[in-house]
Amino acid sequence: MIEVLAFATTVVCGLLALGVLLTAAAGRYRWRAVRPALAGVELAVLAQAVADVCGQLAGHRMAEQLTHNAYLAASLLVLPVTATRIARDNGRWAGLLLAAALIALAVVVVRMQTTWRVGGG
């Protein structure tokens, strides 16, 4: 795990969720406007996943290996799955769904950090 990257991903997800919620509430949410930011978040999550897998291959073991790997898979899938559902919708519900996905991703990243630390290594 790259702690700084995990922290930055969590903060950016929270800020993006807040921004999407505010623009959706004001009726100005636009999918095209948030796509570059989401691509950046997904790249950060992908980099984190690569570092995580490399750490595991290097011998890092956690007390809850299966749980950690489930969080790892979820972190990679949350945004792409959500994006496929809202790609053609600029409505308020699409903004709400995206904000919920960003908050869920932030929680998953924090949980990944927690399960990574449990076993040491």
Side-chain angles (χ1 to χ4, degrees), residues 3 12-13 16 26 31-33 35 39-40 44 49 59-60 63-65 80 93 100 106 114 117:
E3 297 289 328
V12 169
C13 283
L16 274 174
W31 166 244
R32 289 181 187 252
R35 275 194 331 202
H60 183 86
E64 298 178 29
Q65 187 84 26
W93 288 109
T114 303
R117 292 185 192 133

Side-chain angles (χ1 to χ4, degrees), residues 22-83:
L22 292 176
T23 57
R28 296 179 310 195
Y29 167 75
R30 297 292 174 258
W31 166 244
R32 289 181 187 252
V34 295
R35 275 194 331 202
L38 294 178
V41 170
E42 190 64 24
L43 284 175
V45 170
L46 184 59
Q48 187 72 356
V50 168
D52 191 298
V53 169
C54 288
Q56 289 184 40
L57 292 174
H60 183 86
R61 294 290 172 248
M62 291 137 295
E64 298 178 29
Q65 187 84 26
L66 187 60
T67 302
H68 181 80
N69 289 335
Y71 284 132
L72 182 62
S75 72
L76 293 171
L77 294 175
V78 168
L79 288 182
V81 169
T82 304

